[in-house]
Amino acid sequence: MAAKSQPGAPKTKSASGITNGKAAAQGQWGRAWEVDWFSLASVVFLLLFAPFIVYYFIMACDQYGCSLTAPVVDLAAGRARLADVWARTPPVTAKAAQIYAAWVTLQVLLYMLPDFCHKFLPGYLGGVQEGAVTPTGAVNKYEINGLQAWLLTHLLWFANAHLLSWFSPTIIFDNWIPLLWCANILGYTVSTFAMVKGYLFPTDARECKFTGNFFYNYMMGVEFNPRIGKWFDFKLFFNGRPGIVAWTLINLSFAAKQQELYGHVTNSMLLVNVLQAIYVLDFFWNETWYLKTIDICHDHFGWYLGWGDCVWLPYLYTLQGLFLVYHPVQLPTPYVLGVLLLGLLGYYIFRMTNHQKDLFRRTDGRCLIWGRKPKAIECSYTSSDGQKHHSKLLVSGFWGVARHFNYTGDLMGSLAYCLACGSSHLLPYFYVIFMAILLTHRCLRDEHRCANKYGRDWERYTAAVPYRLLPGIF
């Protein structure tokens, strides 16, 4: 998912978040310099088991009708062996390799095209845009053209489905597991290349971090902003393309397969397609805003982003559509309307919360939020160059309800995706469980960084807005 930024907006150009000169000298920006035992254990666990988790979910749907318990029961009872499960798993095929290579090539070509959408779409910020200031004081420029890439990709998809007939709309589902192996190959290749590049020919050696631990460096990344040439930015490309562009195509292919198998598309499948398409389109419409989020501003590029965006995102964020191919659910109309309302309300809260912060930042507080002049906590911090700066943390509107109320809206939308699948299986609910863990971790991670950055001013802010996600609860 798209990352969400913290509820403040520095007025100055510094983005390092350093509390004092001593901390700046220690380089406490981005990910950690040193690795404790818990972080190392977590990294090793994810490297070992995250690929297995993805395989388990996809295998469970392919061989056990999306039951998460049946494979374990079969193995425990001796009715199946791991070798049997693996033998029934489709291998990588030449066709899948060609499909995936063509897909990635198309997205690279579309990524390199100058953006034209901003010239005729009012309110859309595309084309060349500036990111946040990096720890070394640089300001990277980006060619924002994700919406254009999404539109052109889907135009080709629908042209093929209705006019060209180059391939079946079910092509993604029909090659789902062979494509999984191709996605893994790309994910591991780009992650390994990024690490080698960070050691041997980094884009900016000053923005590299080396912990002395191979596993942590590999997973969390060495380079802060790896690039090839002037424009090909690894973080922006792999965070947005090819995974998120593919998200809606994958859902469309699942819907086409449901039509092929059962002669109709269920209202639950339509609901999943609509709600998730809204989220994807919002991501690309606000791609410039994404440049100021934690993924771009603080994370280094390693396996966590490289493999995660190639494999974890397209394969586990689309479980609802995959489940509905195996278990078509026709929902009662009142239930559909309730889930749709929940999803739209979640999206409204998510978008308006971020809009309020952006408006406050752009106008330096000279605006109205909920019809009133916004309130803010005045803060100060010291940047990596030793200079003192001032910021304002918004405590009006949704930002006065909870410190991360945009995450709350995101979780409401995530729950709506899952509820669209009914209640017969646990598998489609993995998404909201994962997002709850991810966003709670991001809350704590954001606040740890802000506490270090603002010190006592952060204490004043948390006193003014005491809850993180759920008012009165958490």
Side-chain angles (χ1 to χ4, degrees), residues 26 47 72 162 267 274 290-291 358 373 442:
Q26 295 172 347
L47 287 171
V72 176
H162 297 287
N267 56 10
V274 168
Y290 182 66
L291 299 179
D358 289 342
K373 183 179 179 181
R442 289 204 172 205

Side-chain angles (χ1 to χ4, degrees), residues 153-173:
T153 300
H154 285 69
L155 180 62
L156 288 172
W157 177 271
F158 285 110
N160 170 77
H162 297 287
L163 298 174
L164 304 174
S165 299
W166 289 338
F167 53 83
S168 169
T170 65
I171 189 172
I172 300 175
F173 177 87

Side-chain angles (χ1 to χ4, degrees), residues 12 54-55 62 76 80 127 133 152 156 167 195 200 239 242 291 301 319 331 333 339 358 361 368 413 420 460:
T12 66
V54 176
Y55 169 74
D62 184 57
V133 180
L152 291 175
L156 288 172
F167 53 83
M195 184 171 181
L200 300 182
N239 271 291
L291 299 179
F301 186 85
L319 283 175
L331 300 168
T333 300
V339 173
D358 289 342
R361 179 179 61 209
L368 296 179
R460 293 194 297 122

Side-chain angles (χ1 to χ4, degrees), residues 240-293:
R241 278 72 62 74
I244 295 183
V245 174
W247 190 342
T248 39
L249 288 186
I250 292 167
N251 283 340
L252 289 171
S253 186
F254 290 161
K257 193 64 181 182
Q258 201 182 65
Q259 174 70 39
E260 179 185 284
L261 291 174
Y262 311 109
H264 69 283
V265 177
T266 62
N267 56 10
S268 55
M269 180 68 84
L270 291 174
L271 191 56
V272 167
N273 269 260
V274 168
L275 289 176
Q276 294 187 348
I278 290 173
Y279 184 88
V280 170
L281 276 172
D282 177 87
F283 173 84
F284 286 120
W285 183 270
N286 295 284
E287 193 174 14
T288 298
W289 161 81
Y290 182 66
L291 299 179
K292 307 298 173 62
T293 62

Side-chain angles (χ1 to χ4, degrees), residues 131-270:
V133 180
T134 71
T136 58
V139 179
N140 289 322
K141 292 186 177 181
Y142 299 83
E143 180 68 52
I144 299 299
N145 59 4
L147 181 64
Q148 176 176 279
W150 188 92
L151 290 171
L152 291 175
T153 300
H154 285 69
L155 180 62
L156 288 172
W157 177 271
F158 285 110
N160 170 77
H162 297 287
L163 298 174
L164 304 174
S165 299
W166 289 338
F167 53 83
S168 169
T170 65
I171 189 172
I172 300 175
F173 177 87
D174 294 339
N175 296 275
W176 193 227
I177 296 181
L179 287 171
L180 171 61
W181 309 131
C182 298
N184 270 280
I185 291 171
L186 177 62
Y188 278 98
T189 300
V190 71
S191 302
T192 303
F193 175 80
M195 184 171 181
V196 173
K197 182 179 182 298
Y199 275 93
L200 300 182
F201 48 99
T203 302
D204 189 338
R206 299 172 301 167
E207 295 184 354
C208 293
K209 279 193 173 182
F210 305 95
T211 64
N213 185 283
F214 171 83
F215 297 106
Y216 193 88
N217 286 347
Y218 184 71
M219 179 172 178
M220 300 309 296
V222 170
E223 272 202 88
F224 192 57
N225 287 297
R227 289 190 166 199
I228 294 179
K230 183 179 179 180
W231 294 109
F232 193 86
D233 184 89
F234 279 56
K235 281 201 290 190
L236 184 62
F237 178 79
F238 283 99
N239 271 291
R241 278 72 62 74
I244 295 183
V245 174
W247 190 342
T248 39
L249 288 186
I250 292 167
N251 283 340
L252 289 171
S253 186
F254 290 161
K257 193 64 181 182
Q258 201 182 65
Q259 174 70 39
E260 179 185 284
L261 291 174
Y262 311 109
H264 69 283
V265 177
T266 62
N267 56 10
S268 55
M269 180 68 84
L270 291 174

Side-chain angles (χ1 to χ4, degrees), residues 108-129:
V108 170
L109 293 174
L110 292 177
Y111 179 81
M112 301 306 292
L113 285 179
D115 181 74
F116 295 98
C117 287
H118 70 281
K119 296 183 178 181
F120 59 85
L121 290 177
Y124 172 65
L125 293 177
V128 179
Q129 300 289 334

